[in-house]
Amino acid sequence: MDLINKYIKENKIQYFISVLFAILGVISNLFVYIILSKVIVSLIDGNQDYNYYMQKIFLIFSCLLVKEIFMSLSTAISHKIAYQIIRDIRKNLMEKLFKMPLGDILNESTGKLKDIIVNQVDNTETTLAHIIPEMTANLVGPLILFIYMLVLDYRLSLISLIPLFIGGIFMSGPMKRMKVKFPQAVKIGQDMNNSIVEYINGIEVIKTFNQGEKSYKKYSENVYKKANYYYNWMGENTRDYAISMSIAPVGILTIIPFGLYFCMKGSLDGGVFLTLIILSFGTIQNIMRVMTFEDDIGRISTIFGEIKNILNSRELYHKDDNSEIKNYNIELKNVDFSYEKDIQVINNLNINIKEGSSNALVGESGSGKSTIAKLIAGFWDVDNGSISIGNVDIKSMSLEKLSNIISYVSQDNFLFDMSIMENIRIGNRSASDKEIIEVCKKSACHDFIMNLSEGYETRVGEAGSLLSGGERQRISIARAMIKNAPIIILDEATSYIDPENEALIQDAISELVRGKTLIIIAHRLNTITNVDKIFVIKNGYLADQGSHDELLQSSEDYHNLWETALKGEKND
């Protein structure tokens, strides 16, 4: 609960005001019962003063009006705070994801992350907006009223709590089940979300291989599993809820017999007896409102536990010591890296890349090329060794600073569901429309964009789904160009480009990397024959390095890769 306390403390003044208004609202409502009891006692005593009763009615109306005003103010303040906290939680989660190693994020299912960030964070609204002010008020108010009842007659006041106590015993069953059942319900819900995401994302494969029945079955089974789980869980609780809600509010069943007995024995005044009967309704009614928050209280620890697990996840180790980067030479020194323990991916790697040079990482699939590029970009931290830019260890740079000096273009660059113009402007928020259009002309984007229904204002769809793979990559290259970073990493950046446009894209890339430090990862070796240096990666090691011509003469590994590439081109 330390996490929820953290957010509450950040807004403690507003919460104090909200709770104060809620308490005043509940107390105003309790005065209605006190005044009403006096009216009934006066009627029984034979008071015929009409003005007296009109004054009491006016007081009751005033108390109800004051109650509504205070409760409205309390609710307005608490809801404002709640949505501010929900905003802050989501913002903190997004900032945390940015700081986490990429692998840790990819290892979490999309459905689970979506469930936590969207559904579970939304579920905190009841706790943050209602439980804190309303539960506090509905405990404090009845406590004050009960103290007043004790002053009138402690015996009957304590006896009035017997049904509430018995009802509370039956309510303990659902509360115990909540601690066990809700975490499992969250897991089942996340499994359902995963199957939905998988079904939607894989719909093309499902249709292609006629897997609709099998895939839909997995989806429907998870949906029914969640529905059945809640049905059985609520079925277990129904009896306990019914008994508790039937017994707890009827304190009158114990007050009347015992009160009559005390009156007959002469130890209790009739007026006090009637007053206690009426006041007991006010006390129990507010306590029953507290009991309605039982479900929310039971699941809040699980919800904040899920949020806390993400916020407490390991982060990439980066600190900004303000070291001046005097050049953009890149050095990997004795680098080791593994995604999982005991499975080494990069082994004692040493690479030097000069500022302004063009470089390529080549090797068989799974050799570690893309991993090296992602390590340079700061997506993961190395296990051992160091990576430096301009003699400054990248761990001594903030992630923001590192991101600003590197443009990373992969074969699967993501586009957001907004206009083409805004997708490209992500690379440079201050870029004008004119600058973006100029960049698009250089990256062979302009013509196809202008042929779209709304030109540069055309929305690209979720993850750029309304565009072809080649179109998405060209826009990604334009985004990298507008960023104008001194280091460019191209990870299979032209893999989806058709042969007709590849020459245009290569010209665009030449424009993009002019005077910059370039790292290319490519399977098409004919695209990297003119780079300054080629690094041959084999099983995470640096096998060879040199120019294309040098490696053809000296490196058996590179020669084999080149021969394979030539055969592939002939087959095409």
Side-chain angles (χ1 to χ4, degrees):
M1 297 300 287
D2 55 333
L3 183 60
I4 188 172
N5 289 335
K6 169 183 173 290
Y7 287 109
I8 291 173
K9 285 180 180 178
E10 290 174 355
N11 298 273
K12 58 185 178 182
I13 295 176
Q14 297 98 311
Y15 266 125
F16 174 79
I17 296 171
S18 177
V19 170
L20 178 61
F21 282 152
I23 291 173
L24 292 173
V26 170
I27 292 174
S28 299
N29 190 53
L30 295 177
F31 271 113
V32 172
Y33 293 95
I34 296 173
I35 297 167
L36 186 61
S37 66
K38 292 183 179 297
V39 169
I40 293 174
V41 171
S42 295
L43 283 171
I44 294 173
D45 289 342
N47 186 345
Q48 299 294 319
D49 186 353
Y50 180 77
N51 289 331
Y52 170 82
Y53 294 112
M54 290 303 296
Q55 289 175 0
K56 297 302 181 186
I57 291 173
F58 177 77
L59 283 175
I60 290 174
F61 175 78
S62 299
C63 288
L64 292 173
L65 180 61
V66 170
K67 170 215 165 187
E68 292 300 325
I69 292 173
F70 279 132
M71 295 306 293
S72 296
L73 289 171
S74 173
T75 302
I77 294 170
S78 65
H79 274 84
K80 183 178 179 181
I81 302 168
Y83 287 115
Q84 286 175 345
I85 292 177
I86 288 173
R87 176 204 63 195
D88 291 342
I89 292 174
R90 287 200 173 113
K91 182 180 178 182
N92 291 342
L93 287 170
M94 293 299 100
E95 290 172 348
K96 183 68 179 187
L97 291 178
F98 180 75
K99 296 175 182 177
M100 288 172 61
L102 183 61
D104 289 1
I105 299 172
L106 296 179
N107 285 337
E108 291 288 357
S109 66
T110 304
K112 179 178 179 180
L113 290 174
K114 177 263 179 187
D115 180 67
I116 294 172
I117 296 170
V118 179
N119 300 343
Q120 299 305 328
V121 173
D122 267 347
N123 287 337
T124 64
E125 186 269 339
T126 300
T127 301
L128 298 170
H130 296 280
I131 291 181
I132 295 172
E134 294 178 24
M135 185 175 175
T136 304
N138 283 300
L139 284 173
V140 173
L143 178 62
I144 295 171
L145 186 59
F146 187 70
I147 292 172
Y148 178 61
M149 291 172 63
L150 288 173
V151 172
L152 295 177
D153 190 277
Y154 76 92
R155 300 166 302 170
L156 210 55
S157 300
L158 293 173
I159 289 171
S160 70
L161 297 180
I162 293 175
L164 182 64
F165 177 75
I166 297 173
I169 293 174
F170 283 96
M171 185 63 77
S172 64
M175 293 182 71
K176 290 178 181 178
R177 291 190 198 101
M178 174 65 74
K179 294 180 180 179
V180 177
K181 295 283 189 179
F182 186 69
Q184 184 62 26
V186 170
K187 175 65 169 59
I188 292 172
Q190 290 170 351
D191 289 341
M192 185 188 75
N193 286 332
N194 288 337
S195 64
I196 293 172
V197 171
E198 181 182 70
Y199 186 81
I200 294 172
N201 288 342
I203 194 67
E204 182 178 351
V205 176
I206 291 169
K207 287 179 176 291
T208 301
F209 294 97
N210 195 25
Q211 295 296 302
E213 182 178 349
K214 181 178 179 181
S215 298
Y216 183 77
K217 182 180 179 182
K218 178 181 178 181
Y219 158 67
S220 62
E221 283 178 349
N222 280 316
V223 172
Y224 279 111
K225 183 177 180 181
K226 181 177 180 181
N228 290 332
Y229 185 85
Y230 274 97
Y231 178 82
N232 294 329
W233 178 15
M234 293 303 106
E236 294 176 10
N237 289 344
T238 299
R239 182 198 63 187
D240 293 337
Y241 275 129
I243 295 174
S244 176
M245 292 301 176
S246 298
I247 295 176
V250 290
I252 193 172
L253 293 180
T254 52
I255 289 179
I256 289 178
F258 283 97
L260 288 172
Y261 176 78
F262 293 148
C263 285
M264 290 165 53
K265 290 292 184 179
S267 61
L268 180 65
D269 179 75
V272 173
F273 178 34
L274 287 173
T275 299
L276 289 173
I277 291 176
I278 295 170
L279 295 184
S280 68
F281 284 109
T283 306
I284 301 300
Q285 182 188 56
N286 285 279
I287 293 177
M288 291 298 294
R289 287 197 185 115
V290 172
M291 295 174 70
T292 62
F293 292 121
E294 175 264 330
D295 280 351
D296 299 298
I297 296 171
R299 65 176 182 237
I300 196 62
S301 59
T302 299
I303 293 172
F304 272 93
E306 294 275 351
I307 296 170
K308 185 178 179 180
N309 286 339
I310 294 179
L311 294 179
N312 287 349
S313 298
R314 64 173 180 160
E315 296 183 1
L316 294 165
Y317 180 81
H318 284 262
K319 61 178 181 178
D320 193 353
D321 61 7
N322 295 316
S323 298
E324 183 181 356
I325 301 174
K326 297 181 178 180
N327 58 63
Y328 296 100
N329 295 328
I330 301 171
E331 181 182 12
L332 286 76
K333 187 174 182 180
N334 302 324
V335 170
D336 293 331
F337 176 74
S338 57
Y339 293 107
E340 300 177 14
K341 291 182 179 179
D342 304 323
I343 304 177
Q344 198 88 339
V345 178
I346 304 299
N347 300 275
N348 194 33
L349 187 69
N350 291 275
I351 290 177
N352 284 286
I353 297 173
K354 292 183 178 180
E355 178 185 27
S357 65
S358 58
N359 307 268
L361 302 175
V362 302
E364 296 179 350
S365 295
S367 60
K369 306 184 299 297
S370 292
T371 300
I372 295 169
K374 289 179 171 66
L375 288 171
I376 295 172
F379 293 165
W380 284 282
D381 284 336
V382 299
D383 297 336
N384 295 301
S386 65
I387 299 175
S388 62
I389 298 175
N391 294 321
V392 177
D393 193 315
I394 63 172
K395 289 185 177 180
S396 298
M397 307 177 195
S398 67
L399 287 171
E400 292 79 5
K401 186 175 183 178
L402 183 61
S403 176
N404 286 335
I405 64 174
I406 296 177
S407 280
Y408 187 96
V409 185
S410 75
Q411 59 181 319
D412 296 312
N413 257 287
F414 188 87
L415 298 183
F416 294 91
D417 186 14
M418 52 190 183
S419 72
I420 291 175
M421 183 73 75
E422 289 307 308
N423 264 289
I424 296 173
R425 188 172 275 118
I426 288 173
N428 181 356
R429 288 296 183 185
S430 62
S432 67
D433 291 357
K434 183 178 179 180
E435 289 172 325
I436 290 173
I437 292 171
E438 186 62 31
V439 161
C440 287
K441 289 179 179 178
K442 292 179 180 178
S443 56
C445 292
H446 181 72
D447 290 343
F448 89 76
I449 292 173
M450 293 308 296
N451 287 328
L452 296 174
S453 59
E454 298 179 56
Y456 282 87
E457 296 306 315
T458 302
R459 294 183 72 91
V460 301
E462 186 177 352
S465 59
L466 300 181
L467 303 177
S468 69
E471 289 169 341
R472 288 197 297 271
Q473 281 196 312
R474 280 185 270 176
I475 290 174
S476 298
I477 291 170
R479 185 165 60 192
M481 290 180 73
I482 202 73
K483 184 176 181 179
N484 198 29
I487 298 173
I488 311 294
I489 299 176
L490 302 177
D491 188 354
E492 298 291 343
T494 61
S495 58
Y496 291 129
I497 304 297
D498 54 84
E500 291 78 9
N501 286 300
E502 185 167 5
L504 292 173
I505 299 303
Q506 291 300 334
D507 289 341
I509 290 175
S510 298
E511 181 72 23
L512 168 64
V513 303
R514 195 184 303 275
K516 295 176 178 158
T517 306
L518 171 66
I519 301 171
I520 301 174
I521 300 166
H523 284 300
R524 298 178 187 174
L525 297 190
N526 64 326
T527 63
I528 51 96
T529 55
N530 294 323
V531 301
D532 297 319
K533 184 172 285 189
I534 298 170
F535 299 93
V536 183
I537 309 300
K538 184 176 181 180
N539 299 323
Y541 293 93
L542 176 61
D544 292 292
Q545 58 181 306
S547 68
H548 170 70
D549 293 333
E550 290 171 347
L551 290 173
L552 280 179
Q553 299 297 321
S554 63
S555 172
E556 181 180 354
D557 291 316
Y558 185 76
H559 188 273
N560 291 336
L561 289 170
W562 179 251
E563 290 294 324
T564 302
L566 290 179
K567 290 178 182 178
E569 289 179 12
K570 289 179 181 179
N571 292 333
D572 291 340

